[in-house]
Amino acid sequence: MKLANQIGTKRKWVLEEDVAFVSCMVNLHNVGTFNADTRFNASYLNELERMLEKVLPHAILKAKPNLNSRIRTLKRDWAIVYDILSGKDNSDFGSDEHRQFVVVKDAFPLL
């Protein structure tokens, strides 16, 4: 099992950790114990830390700063993808639903 690299104070996440992280977040949401309106309540990070400790015991992921920082990063990345696919400020990017990938208009049409 490959674990993330720690460079100074910056942590580099690997795919296995991201998959476990998102899976635990979905499970936490589905259970509903930590839901508050459209967000999680304040104690969810500690529960998420406990869940990930069971799945990735050697990763040593802490609620703060690791999980909190990863949530911010994933939110930022998702907002970029959402804007591209929804047409908002997309600079001619879009999606091909049939082929299921991102498309872009040619900036320089072929002569």
Side-chain angles (χ1 to χ4, degrees), residues 34-76:
F34 296 92
N35 297 349
D37 296 324
T38 60
R39 299 176 174 208
F40 288 112
N41 67 28
S43 60
Y44 83 98
L45 277 177
N46 293 327
E47 180 60 22
L48 186 58
E49 182 181 319
R50 284 190 286 278
M51 292 170 75
L52 285 167
E53 174 62 29
K54 291 176 186 173
V55 180
L56 301 168
H58 301 291
I60 310 169
L61 294 166
K62 297 298 177 191
K64 292 184 181 179
N66 306 121
L67 305 181
N68 200 30
S69 174
R70 194 63 181 159
I71 289 168
R72 283 193 314 271
T73 300
L74 292 175
K75 279 183 180 180
R76 184 196 67 226

